[in-house]
Amino acid sequence: MRSISYIDTRGADGSRPAFTRAVVTGIAAGGGLFVPEELPAFTLPELLVFADRPYWRRVAAVFSRFGVDLDGDRIDALMREAYGVQWDDERIAPVVEIVPGTHVLELWHGPTSAFKDMALQCMPLFFSEAVDTMQAHGELDDDYLILVATSGDTGKAALEGFADRAHTGIVVFYPDGGVSDIQRLQMVTQHGVNVGVFGVRGNFDDCQTAVKAAFNDEVFAAELHERHGLRLSSANSINWGRLLPQIAYYVSAYADMVASGGVKPGAPMDVCVPTGNFGNILGAYYAKLIGVPIGRLLCASNENNVLTDFIATGTYDISDRDFVLTPSPSMDILISSNLERLLYHLAGPEQVRAWMSDLVGQRRFTVDRETFAKVREHFVADWVTNDESLATIRRVYAEHGYLMDPHTAVAWEVAERLRGEDPVLVVSTAHWAKFGADVYRALAGVGYGDALPSAAAGLTGLELLDEVCALAPNAGPVPVRLAALCDAEPRFADVVDAGREGIEGAVRSWLAR
Ligand SMILES: *Cc1c(COP(=O)(O)O)cnc(C)c1O
C-alpha cells in the first residue's frame, strides 16, 4: 500500500512526514496541525462488507487505505492488540437502536469507560512502533516521555494506553481537588512500570499552563536528553494518531446500521456528536469525505457554546466569553483546536494562518462567505443548558429505559431538536457511571450544583453508583473496572506546586524513583 504524506494546515512545515513520524512529532513546526495530503475513497460495497468483520479488521482497513507506512501484517497485529480483550463488548463500538430512527453509538466499552479509549488504546501502539523503527534505522537514540495535563478523562485513557509500552514513559498531572473522586482513583491506581501521576495545586488551567511551560523549557529538554536519553511529547487530541481511529468507528457504525436495517444501503444518516475539542465530530466529517453516507453533522455543545455560535454566524469569538462549569466537563473547552483542520480543508493554509493569528491577537476570527457556506453545507449546531442536560437523562431513562451520561445527554437533546427525516446516530461518549454523581442528581431531580438530598449527602462517587442503580434498575451494571476501584490500592499520592518548576521537579523525582 502506498504511503500518504502529511502536510501542515498553516503551510509552514515542509517536512511532509508519513503517518508514523507525524504521530511521534505531534504538531507541525510553527504550530499548525498535520492533515493527510490526499484522502482515500470507499465505495458502498467496500463499506458494507465491514459488517461481517471484527472491529480490529475494520480499523486496520481504514488505516491501510489512509496509507499508514507499516506493513499490512504489522497493522493487523497492532489492531488486534488495540481492540482486543480489554474491551467489555466484543463489538467494541456497538450501535444500539433506542427508538426507531434513533441509534446510539456506544464509544465507552474500553478500559476507562469513556470515548478517549477509542483512540488511546490504539495510538500508543503506533507511537511505540514508530520509535522502535526510527531507532532501528539509526534516526533516533532517545525514548519518549509523554507529559499530559488532564481535567479528568484524557489522563486516565492516556495512562492506560501508554502503560508498559516500549520506548515510552508517561507522567500525568491533574488539578488536585479538580477531578471527580472516581477519575482521581482511576488515575492514582494505574498499573505499569513507566507511569507517573501527580496532583497539582491549582485548577486545570494552572496545570495546563505549567505543563506547557515545562515543554517549552529548552534547558529542561537538554537535561532530559543528556541525563536520561528522553524527549518530550504530548499525545494530545490534535495528534493525527488520535484522529484516524476516530474516523474508523463511523465507517464501522454505518456498516452496522445498514446490517441492522436502521438505514437503507447508500441512504444517509445524520450524526450528532457531543463536542469539545472538535476531534470526534471531525472524525465524522472525514468519514463523510471518504464516502460514508452521512447527511448532516449535528454539533452539540453544553453552556460553553462557542461552536454553536460559530456554526450559526461564521464568527468564532472568545473575546468576551467566560469558561462555564457544566456536568459535561470533557466538553468544557473554549478553543476547539481541531476546528483548524476543518478550516484547512474548506479554505486552505493562507486563510488558516490569518484566522489563527486573529484568534491569538483579537481572541476572535470571522471566516469569509464562501467558507461559511461550506461549513453550513455539512454542519448544524445547537447547545443545551446544564439543567436541560440532566432533565434529558431523566426523561430518556423514564421513556426508554436507557441511562446516559451527561455528555451523551447533550447530544441526545440536540439530535431531537435538529433531526429531520433521516435516521440519526447519537454518539455516546461515556458510560453513565463515570459521571455518576450528576446522573444521580438527574434521576433524583436535583439541579446541577445543588446539594444532594440528605440520604445521599456524604456518599463518595463510588457509593453513589449504588444509589443510581437503585433509582434506575434497568441501567445495567457498573463496569467491573469502575466497581473494582473501591478495593484498588493507590500507587500515587504526591501533590506538587503549579508552575514550571513544580512540574519539572515532579518529573525529576519520578525519573529518580
Ligand atoms: C473528550 C470527550 C468529549 C469531547 O470530544 P472532542 O473530541 O474533544 O470533541 C465528549 N465526551 C467525553 C466523555 C469526552 O471524554
Side-chain angles (χ1 to χ4, degrees), residues 114-116 153 274-280 330-331 333 407 429-430 435:
F115 119 91
K116 302 287 188 291
D153 277 0
T275 306
N277 212 11
F278 210 75
N280 194 350
S330 299
M331 298 157 68
I333 283 172
H407 302 77
T429 51
F435 298 93

